[in-house]
Each structure stands twice: as structure tokens, then as C-alpha cells.
Amino acid sequence: MPEPGWLAEGLAAFRDDADVVCGRIQTPVPARPTEYQRSAHGHEAADFTSASCFFRKTALERLDGFDERFSVPRGSDADMYFRLLEHGVTIVRAPRALVVHPVRPAPWGASLLQIRHAVFDALLYKKHPALYRQKVEARPRWDHYAIVGVLLLALAGLLAGLPLLAGLAFAGWLLLTGRLCAHRLRGVAHTPAHVADIVITSALLPPLAVFWRLAGAVRYRVRFA
């Protein structure tokens, strides 16, 4: 929802050498947000968001618009911003060109629905490997791979009839999953429903995250972990 003066502030920021003007967004959340609300609130600090920006038509045409292979805004916005940087397009800021971006209600287990977007992280990495590591994710989520690894080891121990190995691996899985759960609960709402959501999804997130990341690597033929 653009604030009064959004358009005027954005247009006023254009200089002769400016091709793109980035405005600002606000995502109001409670003092103790849910994890989903906290994630959405983080978009306020994004360097670029299509929810509040202005392009010269020539600049947008030169980049051939947004890459429509990204079916989620997170990927398409980051890809556009990275292409602007790589093509040397002049970007200026208009902090008073403000758009209020309310956080949509999220269903239970929203994190499990969002994690499938990791498929498009592989495409973003393939197109912009250096900028991806610099601005999105400095290194792979090895904690997810470690959790999946010890879980598979526990299952292998059970199938092989090695209860000691299975027990030790399962204990490792509990420890790593508990660590992930505690990290996700830090600074968010502790209502019973939300805590239950975090606890249950913490057990499911790492396998799904690894699956979707590897699915993206296969789909876009890129070494991405």
C-alpha cells in the first residue's frame, strides 16, 4: 500500500544518470512475531524489492524484464537486482518513497511450504554465483545436511541390525534437531501453537530443504548444495 507521496518521492529521486530508483518498504509485525512474520519483516532491509521501485523503460527493456522462470518474488527480485549490478545500471535510493507491505496470514507449517522455493535458489546461484554467496548465502546449510546424514545413518543401523550405531546416530539427530529448533525459537512468539509448529517442522525442514536444493541442482544442471 503506497504511502501518500510515494510516486512524487520516487520520481523526484531520478537524476539524469539514474536508471532505477529503489524506494523503501515497511512490514509491520508484533514485538514478538512468529517466525514467518520475522522472515517477512527482514525484507525491510533488502537492497532491492519490486514492491517499491521505479525503472526507466529503456533499462527494463535492455535487461529483457524479469526472468519468468522464477515463480516466486524472492528469486525474481534478487535476479533482477543482480543483473542491474552486473550491467552497471545506476541505482539511486529514495527512502521517503515508502510502501507499507502487510504480512499475509500464514497457515500452520508455513515454513514447510516456503522451503520448496529452494529450487529457485539453484537457478539464482547458477546465474550469479559470486553475488549469491556474497548477498544471499555465504555457504551451504551444512547443518541441514548433517541432520539428514545422521538420520540416514540411524535408519541404516536399524536395517543392518546394529542397534548401537542406530542409537548413537539417533541421539545425534535429536541433538542437532534440538539445536535447530532452539535457534528458530529465539526472539519469536512462544504461544503454544507456534512452539508446536516450530518443534514439529524442525524435524521435517532439513530433509525437505536438502531435497528441494538437490532437485533445483538437477533441474538447472548446476553444482549447488
Side-chain angles (χ1 to χ4, degrees):
M1 299 181 292
E3 289 286 278
W6 171 78
L7 182 58
E9 291 289 348
L11 295 178
F14 270 104
R15 307 190 305 256
D16 290 342
D17 63 335
D19 296 307
V20 177
V21 170
C22 287
R24 190 165 58 90
I25 66 168
Q26 279 186 350
T27 52
V29 297
R32 296 283 288 188
T34 64
E35 184 190 40
Y36 178 81
Q37 291 170 332
R38 180 175 63 184
S39 176
H41 184 64
H43 296 162
E44 286 190 359
D47 293 327
F48 172 90
T49 173
S50 58
S52 183
C53 69
F54 305 80
F55 280 85
R56 291 194 191 276
K57 183 181 178 182
T58 52
L60 199 56
E61 288 177 336
R62 187 169 38 152
L63 296 178
D64 198 27
F66 288 85
D67 187 336
E68 295 183 9
R69 289 177 293 176
F70 294 96
S71 63
V72 292
R74 181 181 71 175
S76 58
D77 277 13
D79 173 65
M80 173 57 73
Y81 179 53
F82 292 170
R83 284 190 287 146
L84 291 172
L85 295 177
E86 290 165 350
H87 283 78
V89 175
T90 303
I91 304 172
V92 298
R93 305 288 169 181
R96 292 193 295 180
L98 178 64
V99 169
V100 177
H101 201 311
V103 180
R104 297 182 181 91
W108 190 92
S111 57
L112 301 181
L113 300 175
Q114 286 188 303
I115 201 63
R116 70 184 189 275
H117 298 167
V119 167
F120 301 105
D121 288 345
L123 176 57
L124 187 63
Y125 176 78
K126 181 176 182 177
K127 296 184 68 176
H128 319 278
L131 283 171
Y132 183 91
R133 289 303 180 202
Q134 178 185 343
K135 295 184 174 292
V136 179
E137 193 175 53
R139 61 187 63 84
R141 287 296 304 266
W142 295 119
D143 58 333
H144 287 170
Y145 288 95
I147 290 171
V148 172
V150 294
L151 179 60
L152 292 176
L153 187 60
L155 294 175
L158 286 175
L159 293 174
L162 300 171
L164 179 59
L165 174 63
L168 290 174
F170 184 69
W173 176 80
L174 282 176
L175 179 64
L176 292 173
T177 302
R179 179 175 176 271
L180 173 64
C181 181
H183 176 75
R184 294 176 64 202
L185 282 170
R186 194 173 300 134
V188 300
H190 286 176
T191 62
H194 188 239
V195 171
D197 183 319
I198 295 291
V199 170
I200 294 172
T201 57
S202 289
L204 300 174
L205 269 176
L208 288 174
V210 170
F211 171 80
W212 286 117
R213 290 171 77 93
L214 296 180
V218 172
R219 177 187 295 185
Y220 297 111
R221 301 180 183 179
V222 58
R223 295 182 64 181
F224 176 69

